[in-house]
Every structure is written in structure tokens, then in C-alpha cells.
Amino acid sequence: MAEQLVNVHDLVGRCPYATSQKLLAGKWSLLIMHELSEGPVRVRELERRLYPITQATLTRALRQMEDDGLVHREVYGTIPPKVEYSLTEVGAEFKAVLASLEKWGNQYIDYMKAAGRI
Amino acid sequence: MAEQLVNVHDLVGRCPYATSQKLLAGKWSLLIMHELSEGPVRVRELERRLYPITQATLTRALRQMEDDGLVHREVYGTIPPKVEYSLTEVGAEFKAVLASLEKWGNQYIDYMKAAGRI
DNA sequence: CAGAATCCTGAGAGATACTG
DNA sequence: CAGTATCTCTCAGGATTCTG
């Protein structure tokens, strides 16, 4: 019996780690999830908070995340236009991850500072 | 008073989210953390589990993570060579994040399947 | 077995200008 | 204000070869 080598790319949609990696791959997705974690935010406001992200990049990221089912896009038919992004149901569940990530991130920062590596 | 725009890149080393994003940015870091979460693993074994990662890419990633203080490299002066990677103290703390990520990842997969989007 | 050294490619992100 | 359309460019990652 030859050893079977599993291609990890094929695990997206099956393995929670491979899937998460894919979803969070971008340079901005994690930060966007965090910004939306406390409620809907308008595009312009996101742009400010994520400075120096560019409009094109932000739009691309948000659309991708919408396709991935993480965020919801709410369009108000007003002039001037108003669009708010918020977390979907599954997206909101991600807040648990954000919480543990925040905790660990702070531990990490403290640790590295104490070790003089920051 | 002009509005101050904070550059999120400057938050690395201060904000837990910006910092985590930076650390997990790579295509493989999250998966490597997971593979090492249950104990030391030899390079060759990592290569197999992370197929189709290339040797050069794996080495680069591991060295970066070593610099970041996430993993430890143990060299056994034997012939043939044997090198094991393991999580450092802070690296091991990351297992809490992996746990919540695993939970969420599975929720996500189930949710998307139920919605027929996978 | 582990990894160094090269070269190369492509996808993602930045910059810019324009529209309803 | 939100979004589209291009174009450019960087660099992370892939492929390959070589060594102790």
C-alpha cells in the first residue's frame, strides 16, 4: 500500500483549519471582521479605521467576504448613497475567535516585550 | 482640531489584532501552528502533512516563525540529520485560539453546507 | 534528512481616474 | 458617498538544483 499524500488545498470546506486559513488569508479580512464585530459600519468609516487601506482594496475584500458568507451588505437607496456592512450569522459567531485572538495577541505582545524582542 | 488618522500598520506590536494578522499572514503559518500543536514534529513529517508545500517554502515559513518567537527549532547532531520543530511557550498559548478556530470553522462549514453554498 | 541558493511567476494589493 | 475600471508593482510562494 503506497502512502497517500493528502493535498491540504482540497481540505478547504472540510477541515476547519484549512478553511479558516483560506478565509482569513487576505491582508485585511481579520481586521475587517474586528471592525464589524460591534455592529454595522458604513464604508467611509471602515476606510478611516483601516487607514491606509485603499477604496479599491476595501471593496474587493468586502465583496470577497460577502461571497464567503461572512458579511452582509445593506444598501440604503438614498442620495448621497449609504451602505452599511455587518456580520452575518456565521460571521457573528466568529466573535468568539476574535476574543481568544485578542487575549492571545495581548499575551504575545507582553511576552515579546518582556523578552526585549519588541 | 484635525481628525487623526491612525495607520494600522503602526499598530503591530501594540494592537492584538494587527499583530495577529501580521503573524498569521502567510499561507501556511496557521496550518503549521496546528500541526505543531500536539507536540514536536520533524521537518520531513511536516512536509508530508502540509503537502503540497515545498521544502523551500516550509523552511522560510519556519524560520520566520522562529524569528517571531512562535516555534522552537531543535537540532540533533546526528547523521543523517534530525531537526524537530515545536511550539514555544507563547506559541503553545496559541492552542486556545486554534481550539476556538476549530469550533468556528466546523460551524462555518456546516452552515455553508446547509445553505447549499458549499 | 535538512536546508541553502537561484530563478521565476502570479495573485493580491496599491495608485489613479472616473461615474451615478 | 460608494463603487468601478485600469494599470502597476511587489514579494510570497513555487520550481529546481546542489550540498553537508
Side-chain angles (χ1 to χ4, degrees), chain B residues 42-91:
Chain B
R42 292 186 68 173
V43 176
R44 195 74 167 81
E45 179 60 21
L46 274 178
E47 238 180 290
R48 286 201 198 87
R49 297 197 201 164
L50 297 174
Y51 180 81
I53 197 174
T54 62
Q55 209 174 38
T57 299
L58 178 57
T59 300
R60 263 191 309 250
L62 286 169
R63 288 298 161 82
Q64 179 61 54
M65 294 169 77
E66 199 187 355
D67 288 347
D68 291 337
L70 296 175
V71 307
H72 169 70
R73 179 167 176 262
E74 186 71 32
V75 182
Y76 298 81
T78 58
I79 300 227
K82 170 176 172 180
V83 175
E84 275 185 344
Y85 284 89
S86 56
L87 296 184
T88 59
E89 200 177 327
V90 236

mmCIF file of all heavy atoms in Angstrom, chain B residues 42-91:
data_model
loop_
_atom_site.group_PDB
_atom_site.id
_atom_site.type_symbol
_atom_site.label_atom_id
_atom_site.label_comp_id
_atom_site.label_asym_id
_atom_site.label_seq_id
_atom_site.Cartn_x
_atom_site.Cartn_y
_atom_site.Cartn_z
ATOM 1 N N ARG B 42 9.086 16.440 13.094
ATOM 2 C CA ARG B 42 10.266 16.543 12.238
ATOM 3 C C ARG B 42 9.905 17.223 10.928
ATOM 4 O O ARG B 42 8.753 17.191 10.480
ATOM 5 C CB ARG B 42 10.829 15.154 11.941
ATOM 6 C CG ARG B 42 11.418 14.489 13.151
ATOM 7 C CD ARG B 42 12.092 13.198 12.793
ATOM 8 N NE ARG B 42 13.298 13.414 11.985
ATOM 9 C CZ ARG B 42 14.141 12.439 11.665
ATOM 10 N NH1 ARG B 42 13.907 11.200 12.060
ATOM 11 N NH2 ARG B 42 15.212 12.689 10.925
ATOM 12 N N VAL B 43 10.902 17.803 10.305
ATOM 13 C CA VAL B 43 10.699 18.552 9.074
ATOM 14 C C VAL B 43 10.036 17.718 7.981
ATOM 15 O O VAL B 43 9.049 18.130 7.379
ATOM 16 C CB VAL B 43 12.038 19.106 8.552
ATOM 17 C CG1 VAL B 43 11.836 19.796 7.217
ATOM 18 C CG2 VAL B 43 12.627 20.065 9.564
ATOM 19 N N ARG B 44 10.581 16.554 7.764
ATOM 20 C CA ARG B 44 10.066 15.688 6.709
ATOM 21 C C ARG B 44 8.591 15.362 6.932
ATOM 22 O O ARG B 44 7.807 15.314 5.990
ATOM 23 C CB ARG B 44 10.898 14.397 6.696
ATOM 24 C CG ARG B 44 10.727 13.567 5.441
ATOM 25 C CD ARG B 44 11.449 14.234 4.283
ATOM 26 N NE ARG B 44 11.560 13.328 3.146
ATOM 27 C CZ ARG B 44 10.591 13.101 2.279
ATOM 28 N NH1 ARG B 44 9.444 13.735 2.414
ATOM 29 N NH2 ARG B 44 10.783 12.280 1.279
ATOM 30 N N GLU B 45 8.253 15.121 8.182
ATOM 31 C CA GLU B 45 6.874 14.796 8.529
ATOM 32 C C GLU B 45 5.962 15.997 8.271
ATOM 33 O O GLU B 45 4.853 15.851 7.750
ATOM 34 C CB GLU B 45 6.808 14.375 10.001
ATOM 35 C CG GLU B 45 5.425 14.037 10.511
ATOM 36 C CD GLU B 45 4.770 12.889 9.749
ATOM 37 O OE1 GLU B 45 5.495 12.104 9.120
ATOM 38 O OE2 GLU B 45 3.519 12.815 9.773
ATOM 39 N N LEU B 46 6.440 17.183 8.616
ATOM 40 C CA LEU B 46 5.679 18.403 8.338
ATOM 41 C C LEU B 46 5.423 18.524 6.840
ATOM 42 O O LEU B 46 4.318 18.857 6.405
ATOM 43 C CB LEU B 46 6.446 19.635 8.818
ATOM 44 C CG LEU B 46 6.285 20.053 10.274
ATOM 45 C CD1 LEU B 46 7.153 21.264 10.576
ATOM 46 C CD2 LEU B 46 4.820 20.375 10.573
ATOM 47 N N GLU B 47 6.459 18.259 6.091
ATOM 48 C CA GLU B 47 6.354 18.339 4.636
ATOM 49 C C GLU B 47 5.234 17.434 4.133
ATOM 50 O O GLU B 47 4.455 17.821 3.263
ATOM 51 C CB GLU B 47 7.682 17.886 4.038
ATOM 52 C CG GLU B 47 8.344 18.918 3.143
ATOM 53 C CD GLU B 47 9.639 18.384 2.597
ATOM 54 O OE1 GLU B 47 10.572 18.243 3.418
ATOM 55 O OE2 GLU B 47 9.728 18.091 1.392
ATOM 56 N N ARG B 48 5.175 16.240 4.686
ATOM 57 C CA ARG B 48 4.138 15.292 4.264
ATOM 58 C C ARG B 48 2.747 15.807 4.633
ATOM 59 O O ARG B 48 1.837 15.826 3.817
ATOM 60 C CB ARG B 48 4.350 13.930 4.937
ATOM 61 C CG ARG B 48 5.512 13.158 4.367
ATOM 62 C CD ARG B 48 5.399 11.670 4.649
ATOM 63 N NE ARG B 48 6.701 11.017 4.468
ATOM 64 C CZ ARG B 48 7.621 10.927 5.421
ATOM 65 N NH1 ARG B 48 7.379 11.412 6.634
ATOM 66 N NH2 ARG B 48 8.773 10.344 5.178
ATOM 67 N N ARG B 49 2.631 16.244 5.863
ATOM 68 C CA ARG B 49 1.308 16.669 6.330
ATOM 69 C C ARG B 49 0.814 17.938 5.639
ATOM 70 O O ARG B 49 -0.377 18.174 5.557
ATOM 71 C CB ARG B 49 1.356 16.938 7.835
ATOM 72 C CG ARG B 49 1.694 15.703 8.658
ATOM 73 C CD ARG B 49 1.318 15.914 10.102
ATOM 74 N NE ARG B 49 2.039 15.018 10.993
ATOM 75 C CZ ARG B 49 2.125 15.197 12.310
ATOM 76 N NH1 ARG B 49 1.531 16.246 12.879
ATOM 77 N NH2 ARG B 49 2.780 14.347 13.063
ATOM 78 N N LEU B 50 1.758 18.746 5.194
ATOM 79 C CA LEU B 50 1.377 20.012 4.567
ATOM 80 C C LEU B 50 1.449 19.955 3.048
ATOM 81 O O LEU B 50 1.421 20.984 2.373
ATOM 82 C CB LEU B 50 2.254 21.137 5.101
ATOM 83 C CG LEU B 50 2.107 21.394 6.596
ATOM 84 C CD1 LEU B 50 3.127 22.417 7.069
ATOM 85 C CD2 LEU B 50 0.693 21.890 6.911
ATOM 86 N N TYR B 51 1.571 18.745 2.522
ATOM 87 C CA TYR B 51 1.596 18.581 1.084
ATOM 88 C C TYR B 51 0.497 19.403 0.429
ATOM 89 O O TYR B 51 -0.645 19.373 0.909
ATOM 90 C CB TYR B 51 1.421 17.105 0.735
ATOM 91 C CG TYR B 51 1.437 16.815 -0.736
ATOM 92 C CD1 TYR B 51 2.623 16.711 -1.427
ATOM 93 C CD2 TYR B 51 0.238 16.687 -1.446
ATOM 94 C CE1 TYR B 51 2.635 16.467 -2.790
ATOM 95 C CE2 TYR B 51 0.244 16.444 -2.814
ATOM 96 C CZ TYR B 51 1.448 16.343 -3.472
ATOM 97 O OH TYR B 51 1.460 16.109 -4.815
ATOM 98 N N PRO B 52 0.786 20.156 -0.676
ATOM 99 C CA PRO B 52 1.995 20.175 -1.486
ATOM 100 C C PRO B 52 2.945 21.345 -1.192
ATOM 101 O O PRO B 52 3.451 21.961 -2.125
ATOM 102 C CB PRO B 52 1.430 20.308 -2.886
ATOM 103 C CG PRO B 52 0.233 21.206 -2.683
ATOM 104 C CD PRO B 52 -0.276 20.945 -1.293
ATOM 105 N N ILE B 53 3.199 21.637 0.048
ATOM 106 C CA ILE B 53 4.149 22.697 0.358
ATOM 107 C C ILE B 53 5.529 22.262 -0.140
ATOM 108 O O ILE B 53 5.817 21.065 -0.184
ATOM 109 C CB ILE B 53 4.197 22.951 1.885
ATOM 110 C CG1 ILE B 53 4.850 24.305 2.173
ATOM 111 C CG2 ILE B 53 4.924 21.826 2.613
ATOM 112 C CD1 ILE B 53 4.799 24.706 3.649
ATOM 113 N N THR B 54 6.338 23.214 -0.535
ATOM 114 C CA THR B 54 7.685 22.861 -0.981
ATOM 115 C C THR B 54 8.653 23.035 0.178
ATOM 116 O O THR B 54 8.389 23.761 1.123
ATOM 117 C CB THR B 54 8.147 23.745 -2.152
ATOM 118 O OG1 THR B 54 8.204 25.099 -1.710
ATOM 119 C CG2 THR B 54 7.213 23.623 -3.321
ATOM 120 N N GLN B 55 9.794 22.383 0.065
ATOM 121 C CA GLN B 55 10.792 22.427 1.115
ATOM 122 C C GLN B 55 11.245 23.861 1.391
ATOM 123 O O GLN B 55 11.350 24.279 2.544
ATOM 124 C CB GLN B 55 11.998 21.592 0.687
ATOM 125 C CG GLN B 55 12.762 20.992 1.835
ATOM 126 C CD GLN B 55 13.865 20.056 1.343
ATOM 127 O OE1 GLN B 55 14.512 20.322 0.332
ATOM 128 N NE2 GLN B 55 14.078 18.983 2.072
ATOM 129 N N ALA B 56 11.499 24.595 0.323
ATOM 130 C CA ALA B 56 11.978 25.967 0.468
ATOM 131 C C ALA B 56 10.950 26.815 1.206
ATOM 132 O O ALA B 56 11.289 27.575 2.123
ATOM 133 C CB ALA B 56 12.265 26.565 -0.907
ATOM 134 N N THR B 57 9.707 26.669 0.823
ATOM 135 C CA THR B 57 8.630 27.448 1.443
ATOM 136 C C THR B 57 8.476 27.088 2.915
ATOM 137 O O THR B 57 8.343 27.966 3.773
ATOM 138 C CB THR B 57 7.303 27.201 0.715
ATOM 139 O OG1 THR B 57 7.449 27.613 -0.641
ATOM 140 C CG2 THR B 57 6.179 27.998 1.356
ATOM 141 N N LEU B 58 8.518 25.796 3.196
ATOM 142 C CA LEU B 58 8.390 25.347 4.578
ATOM 143 C C LEU B 58 9.520 25.910 5.436
ATOM 144 O O LEU B 58 9.295 26.454 6.517
ATOM 145 C CB LEU B 58 8.386 23.818 4.640
ATOM 146 C CG LEU B 58 8.300 23.203 6.036
ATOM 147 C CD1 LEU B 58 7.056 23.684 6.767
ATOM 148 C CD2 LEU B 58 8.321 21.686 5.954
ATOM 149 N N THR B 59 10.727 25.798 4.941
ATOM 150 C CA THR B 59 11.885 26.318 5.676
ATOM 151 C C THR B 59 11.740 27.809 5.926
ATOM 152 O O THR B 59 11.929 28.284 7.050
ATOM 153 C CB THR B 59 13.182 26.075 4.881
ATOM 154 O OG1 THR B 59 13.344 24.674 4.681
ATOM 155 C CG2 THR B 59 14.377 26.593 5.650
ATOM 156 N N ARG B 60 11.390 28.543 4.890
ATOM 157 C CA ARG B 60 11.212 30.000 5.035
ATOM 158 C C ARG B 60 10.185 30.308 6.103
ATOM 159 O O ARG B 60 10.397 31.156 6.977
ATOM 160 C CB ARG B 60 10.771 30.617 3.703
ATOM 161 C CG ARG B 60 11.874 31.227 2.879
ATOM 162 C CD ARG B 60 11.291 32.048 1.731
ATOM 163 N NE ARG B 60 10.304 31.296 0.972
ATOM 164 C CZ ARG B 60 10.476 30.849 -0.267
ATOM 165 N NH1 ARG B 60 11.619 31.065 -0.882
ATOM 166 N NH2 ARG B 60 9.531 30.198 -0.901
ATOM 167 N N ALA B 61 9.045 29.619 6.023
ATOM 168 C CA ALA B 61 7.962 29.879 6.977
ATOM 169 C C ALA B 61 8.409 29.577 8.403
ATOM 170 O O ALA B 61 8.181 30.363 9.321
ATOM 171 C CB ALA B 61 6.742 29.050 6.610
ATOM 172 N N LEU B 62 9.063 28.435 8.571
ATOM 173 C CA LEU B 62 9.504 28.039 9.911
ATOM 174 C C LEU B 62 10.519 29.032 10.469
ATOM 175 O O LEU B 62 10.467 29.394 11.646
ATOM 176 C CB LEU B 62 10.104 26.634 9.868
ATOM 177 C CG LEU B 62 9.086 25.504 9.713
ATOM 178 C CD1 LEU B 62 9.774 24.189 9.409
ATOM 179 C CD2 LEU B 62 8.225 25.372 10.972
ATOM 180 N N ARG B 63 11.421 29.487 9.645
ATOM 181 C CA ARG B 63 12.424 30.436 10.110
ATOM 182 C C ARG B 63 11.780 31.754 10.520
ATOM 183 O O ARG B 63 12.136 32.378 11.507
ATOM 184 C CB ARG B 63 13.476 30.689 9.014
ATOM 185 C CG ARG B 63 14.388 29.521 8.793
ATOM 186 C CD ARG B 63 15.193 29.208 10.061
ATOM 187 N NE ARG B 63 15.734 27.853 10.033
ATOM 188 C CZ ARG B 63 16.836 27.504 9.400
ATOM 189 N NH1 ARG B 63 17.527 28.402 8.751
ATOM 190 N NH2 ARG B 63 17.233 26.248 9.429
ATOM 191 N N GLN B 64 10.810 32.173 9.738
ATOM 192 C CA GLN B 64 10.088 33.401 10.055
ATOM 193 C C GLN B 64 9.381 33.255 11.411
ATOM 194 O O GLN B 64 9.445 34.133 12.274
ATOM 195 C CB GLN B 64 9.059 33.700 8.955
ATOM 196 C CG GLN B 64 8.237 34.951 9.209
ATOM 197 C CD GLN B 64 9.100 36.193 9.293
ATOM 198 O OE1 GLN B 64 9.875 36.483 8.393
ATOM 199 N NE2 GLN B 64 8.995 36.947 10.401
ATOM 200 N N MET B 65 8.734 32.111 11.570
ATOM 201 C CA MET B 65 8.004 31.860 12.811
ATOM 202 C C MET B 65 8.950 31.719 13.996
ATOM 203 O O MET B 65 8.596 32.033 15.130
ATOM 204 C CB MET B 65 7.138 30.605 12.651
ATOM 205 C CG MET B 65 6.029 30.784 11.629
ATOM 206 S SD MET B 65 5.193 29.236 11.195
ATOM 207 C CE MET B 65 4.148 28.995 12.627
ATOM 208 N N GLU B 66 10.156 31.263 13.711
ATOM 209 C CA GLU B 66 11.160 31.169 14.760
ATOM 210 C C GLU B 66 11.558 32.586 15.179
ATOM 211 O O GLU B 66 11.619 32.895 16.374
ATOM 212 C CB GLU B 66 12.382 30.401 14.223
ATOM 213 C CG GLU B 66 13.273 29.843 15.325
ATOM 214 C CD GLU B 66 14.543 29.236 14.759
ATOM 215 O OE1 GLU B 66 14.701 29.163 13.524
ATOM 216 O OE2 GLU B 66 15.413 28.859 15.567
ATOM 217 N N ASP B 67 11.771 33.435 14.191
ATOM 218 C CA ASP B 67 12.104 34.836 14.478
ATOM 219 C C ASP B 67 10.981 35.510 15.260
ATOM 220 O O ASP B 67 11.226 36.359 16.116
ATOM 221 C CB ASP B 67 12.333 35.616 13.174
ATOM 222 C CG ASP B 67 13.642 35.218 12.504
ATOM 223 O OD1 ASP B 67 14.457 34.543 13.156
ATOM 224 O OD2 ASP B 67 13.853 35.581 11.338
ATOM 225 N N ASP B 68 9.763 35.127 14.929
ATOM 226 C CA ASP B 68 8.602 35.729 15.597
ATOM 227 C C ASP B 68 8.388 35.148 16.992
ATOM 228 O O ASP B 68 7.478 35.562 17.710
ATOM 229 C CB ASP B 68 7.337 35.521 14.761
ATOM 230 C CG ASP B 68 7.362 36.338 13.474
ATOM 231 O OD1 ASP B 68 8.092 37.351 13.424
ATOM 232 O OD2 ASP B 68 6.640 35.972 12.522
ATOM 233 N N GLY B 69 9.196 34.169 17.338
ATOM 234 C CA GLY B 69 9.092 33.598 18.675
ATOM 235 C C GLY B 69 7.969 32.595 18.850
ATOM 236 O O GLY B 69 7.571 32.286 19.970
ATOM 237 N N LEU B 70 7.450 32.082 17.740
ATOM 238 C CA LEU B 70 6.330 31.149 17.827
ATOM 239 C C LEU B 70 6.779 29.697 17.909
ATOM 240 O O LEU B 70 6.143 28.889 18.584
ATOM 241 C CB LEU B 70 5.402 31.308 16.613
ATOM 242 C CG LEU B 70 4.704 32.659 16.472
ATOM 243 C CD1 LEU B 70 3.919 32.718 15.169
ATOM 244 C CD2 LEU B 70 3.779 32.892 17.661
ATOM 245 N N VAL B 71 7.857 29.381 17.221
ATOM 246 C CA VAL B 71 8.318 27.991 17.216
ATOM 247 C C VAL B 71 9.770 27.865 17.649
ATOM 248 O O VAL B 71 10.557 28.809 17.558
ATOM 249 C CB VAL B 71 8.149 27.342 15.819
ATOM 250 C CG1 VAL B 71 6.736 27.503 15.314
ATOM 251 C CG2 VAL B 71 9.146 27.929 14.834
ATOM 252 N N HIS B 72 10.089 26.666 18.094
ATOM 253 C CA HIS B 72 11.449 26.373 18.531
ATOM 254 C C HIS B 72 12.052 25.311 17.624
ATOM 255 O O HIS B 72 11.371 24.368 17.227
ATOM 256 C CB HIS B 72 11.429 25.862 19.972
ATOM 257 C CG HIS B 72 12.738 25.304 20.412
ATOM 258 N ND1 HIS B 72 13.856 26.097 20.627
ATOM 259 C CD2 HIS B 72 13.123 24.031 20.659
ATOM 260 C CE1 HIS B 72 14.863 25.331 20.999
ATOM 261 N NE2 HIS B 72 14.453 24.072 21.023
ATOM 262 N N ARG B 73 13.314 25.504 17.293
ATOM 263 C CA ARG B 73 13.996 24.578 16.402
ATOM 264 C C ARG B 73 15.030 23.796 17.188
ATOM 265 O O ARG B 73 15.948 24.356 17.766
ATOM 266 C CB ARG B 73 14.670 25.389 15.289
ATOM 267 C CG ARG B 73 15.449 24.597 14.280
ATOM 268 C CD ARG B 73 15.778 25.474 13.077
ATOM 269 N NE ARG B 73 16.612 24.786 12.126
ATOM 270 C CZ ARG B 73 17.942 24.935 12.080
ATOM 271 N NH1 ARG B 73 18.550 25.725 12.923
ATOM 272 N NH2 ARG B 73 18.655 24.281 11.179
ATOM 273 N N GLU B 74 14.853 22.483 17.203
ATOM 274 C CA GLU B 74 15.769 21.617 17.948
ATOM 275 C C GLU B 74 16.577 20.766 16.979
ATOM 276 O O GLU B 74 16.015 19.951 16.255
ATOM 277 C CB GLU B 74 14.965 20.718 18.889
ATOM 278 C CG GLU B 74 15.801 19.882 19.812
ATOM 279 C CD GLU B 74 16.478 20.714 20.910
ATOM 280 O OE1 GLU B 74 15.891 21.728 21.334
ATOM 281 O OE2 GLU B 74 17.602 20.344 21.317
ATOM 282 N N VAL B 75 17.878 20.959 16.998
ATOM 283 C CA VAL B 75 18.745 20.223 16.077
ATOM 284 C C VAL B 75 19.466 19.095 16.790
ATOM 285 O O VAL B 75 20.122 19.323 17.806
ATOM 286 C CB VAL B 75 19.794 21.162 15.449
ATOM 287 C CG1 VAL B 75 20.661 20.386 14.459
ATOM 288 C CG2 VAL B 75 19.128 22.345 14.777
ATOM 289 N N TYR B 76 19.331 17.884 16.272
ATOM 290 C CA TYR B 76 20.041 16.749 16.835
ATOM 291 C C TYR B 76 21.272 16.501 15.965
ATOM 292 O O TYR B 76 21.140 16.297 14.767
ATOM 293 C CB TYR B 76 19.168 15.507 16.848
ATOM 294 C CG TYR B 76 17.928 15.671 17.710
ATOM 295 C CD1 TYR B 76 16.808 16.331 17.218
ATOM 296 C CD2 TYR B 76 17.909 15.195 19.018
ATOM 297 C CE1 TYR B 76 15.679 16.505 18.016
ATOM 298 C CE2 TYR B 76 16.786 15.356 19.812
ATOM 299 C CZ TYR B 76 15.678 16.018 19.300
ATOM 300 O OH TYR B 76 14.572 16.185 20.082
ATOM 301 N N GLY B 77 22.431 16.545 16.565
ATOM 302 C CA GLY B 77 23.651 16.402 15.779
ATOM 303 C C GLY B 77 23.932 14.981 15.355
ATOM 304 O O GLY B 77 24.932 14.400 15.724
ATOM 305 N N THR B 78 23.012 14.448 14.581
ATOM 306 C CA THR B 78 23.160 13.053 14.153
ATOM 307 C C THR B 78 23.334 12.956 12.648
ATOM 308 O O THR B 78 23.131 13.920 11.918
ATOM 309 C CB THR B 78 21.911 12.243 14.529
ATOM 310 O OG1 THR B 78 20.779 12.856 13.907
ATOM 311 C CG2 THR B 78 21.715 12.242 16.029
ATOM 312 N N ILE B 79 23.711 11.775 12.232
ATOM 313 C CA ILE B 79 23.768 11.531 10.797
ATOM 314 C C ILE B 79 22.957 10.295 10.513
ATOM 315 O O ILE B 79 23.218 9.241 11.086
ATOM 316 C CB ILE B 79 25.219 11.271 10.318
ATOM 317 C CG1 ILE B 79 26.069 12.476 10.631
ATOM 318 C CG2 ILE B 79 25.214 10.890 8.838
ATOM 319 C CD1 ILE B 79 26.946 12.988 9.532
ATOM 320 N N PRO B 80 21.926 10.400 9.685
ATOM 321 C CA PRO B 80 21.508 11.626 8.986
ATOM 322 C C PRO B 80 20.925 12.654 9.959
ATOM 323 O O PRO B 80 20.503 12.276 11.049
ATOM 324 C CB PRO B 80 20.443 11.121 8.011
ATOM 325 C CG PRO B 80 19.898 9.900 8.638
ATOM 326 C CD PRO B 80 21.036 9.274 9.361
ATOM 327 N N PRO B 81 20.866 13.914 9.543
ATOM 328 C CA PRO B 81 20.395 14.996 10.396
ATOM 329 C C PRO B 81 18.963 14.789 10.860
ATOM 330 O O PRO B 81 18.161 14.153 10.174
ATOM 331 C CB PRO B 81 20.461 16.229 9.497
ATOM 332 C CG PRO B 81 21.281 15.856 8.334
ATOM 333 C CD PRO B 81 21.251 14.383 8.208
ATOM 334 N N LYS B 82 18.668 15.300 12.037
ATOM 335 C CA LYS B 82 17.297 15.253 12.546
ATOM 336 C C LYS B 82 16.996 16.600 13.180
ATOM 337 O O LYS B 82 17.749 17.081 14.026
ATOM 338 C CB LYS B 82 17.162 14.146 13.586
ATOM 339 C CG LYS B 82 15.840 14.172 14.343
ATOM 340 C CD LYS B 82 15.723 12.991 15.299
ATOM 341 C CE LYS B 82 14.497 13.121 16.200
ATOM 342 N NZ LYS B 82 14.366 11.979 17.121
ATOM 343 N N VAL B 83 15.930 17.205 12.724
ATOM 344 C CA VAL B 83 15.524 18.512 13.251
ATOM 345 C C VAL B 83 14.053 18.468 13.597
ATOM 346 O O VAL B 83 13.232 18.051 12.779
ATOM 347 C CB VAL B 83 15.768 19.633 12.216
ATOM 348 C CG1 VAL B 83 15.222 20.956 12.733
ATOM 349 C CG2 VAL B 83 17.243 19.760 11.898
ATOM 350 N N GLU B 84 13.744 18.861 14.806
ATOM 351 C CA GLU B 84 12.345 18.889 15.218
ATOM 352 C C GLU B 84 11.899 20.310 15.532
ATOM 353 O O GLU B 84 12.630 21.064 16.162
ATOM 354 C CB GLU B 84 12.144 18.040 16.481
ATOM 355 C CG GLU B 84 11.935 16.574 16.201
ATOM 356 C CD GLU B 84 11.619 15.814 17.477
ATOM 357 O OE1 GLU B 84 11.862 16.348 18.577
ATOM 358 O OE2 GLU B 84 11.137 14.692 17.374
ATOM 359 N N TYR B 85 10.697 20.622 15.120
ATOM 360 C CA TYR B 85 10.122 21.916 15.462
ATOM 361 C C TYR B 85 9.017 21.705 16.481
ATOM 362 O O TYR B 85 8.292 20.710 16.431
ATOM 363 C CB TYR B 85 9.558 22.610 14.226
ATOM 364 C CG TYR B 85 10.641 23.216 13.351
ATOM 365 C CD1 TYR B 85 11.247 22.476 12.345
ATOM 366 C CD2 TYR B 85 11.063 24.531 13.559
ATOM 367 C CE1 TYR B 85 12.246 23.023 11.557
ATOM 368 C CE2 TYR B 85 12.059 25.093 12.764
ATOM 369 C CZ TYR B 85 12.640 24.332 11.773
ATOM 370 O OH TYR B 85 13.629 24.874 10.995
ATOM 371 N N SER B 86 8.919 22.670 17.397
ATOM 372 C CA SER B 86 7.859 22.596 18.403
ATOM 373 C C SER B 86 7.406 24.017 18.723
ATOM 374 O O SER B 86 8.047 24.985 18.316
ATOM 375 C CB SER B 86 8.398 21.932 19.664
ATOM 376 O OG SER B 86 9.533 22.634 20.131
ATOM 377 N N LEU B 87 6.299 24.121 19.443
ATOM 378 C CA LEU B 87 5.816 25.449 19.814
ATOM 379 C C LEU B 87 6.594 25.968 21.014
ATOM 380 O O LEU B 87 6.953 25.200 21.903
ATOM 381 C CB LEU B 87 4.324 25.380 20.163
ATOM 382 C CG LEU B 87 3.390 24.971 19.020
ATOM 383 C CD1 LEU B 87 1.944 25.048 19.481
ATOM 384 C CD2 LEU B 87 3.608 25.856 17.796
ATOM 385 N N THR B 88 6.850 27.254 21.014
ATOM 386 C CA THR B 88 7.471 27.883 22.173
ATOM 387 C C THR B 88 6.391 28.056 23.236
ATOM 388 O O THR B 88 5.247 27.645 23.038
ATOM 389 C CB THR B 88 8.012 29.277 21.816
ATOM 390 O OG1 THR B 88 6.908 30.072 21.348
ATOM 391 C CG2 THR B 88 9.062 29.195 20.739
ATOM 392 N N GLU B 89 6.760 28.704 24.314
ATOM 393 C CA GLU B 89 5.790 28.954 25.375
ATOM 394 C C GLU B 89 4.604 29.790 24.862
ATOM 395 O O GLU B 89 3.449 29.373 24.972
ATOM 396 C CB GLU B 89 6.501 29.699 26.515
ATOM 397 C CG GLU B 89 5.797 29.613 27.854
ATOM 398 C CD GLU B 89 6.616 30.332 28.930
ATOM 399 O OE1 GLU B 89 7.860 30.313 28.845
ATOM 400 O OE2 GLU B 89 5.994 30.925 29.836
ATOM 401 N N VAL B 90 4.905 30.934 24.268
ATOM 402 C CA VAL B 90 3.814 31.760 23.703
ATOM 403 C C VAL B 90 3.134 31.045 22.569
ATOM 404 O O VAL B 90 1.922 31.183 22.386
ATOM 405 C CB VAL B 90 4.299 33.106 23.098
ATOM 406 C CG1 VAL B 90 3.580 34.263 23.744
ATOM 407 C CG2 VAL B 90 5.773 33.221 23.065
ATOM 408 N N GLY B 91 3.901 30.321 21.808
ATOM 409 C CA GLY B 91 3.329 29.582 20.700
ATOM 410 C C GLY B 91 2.302 28.589 21.195
ATOM 411 O O GLY B 91 1.235 28.417 20.601
#
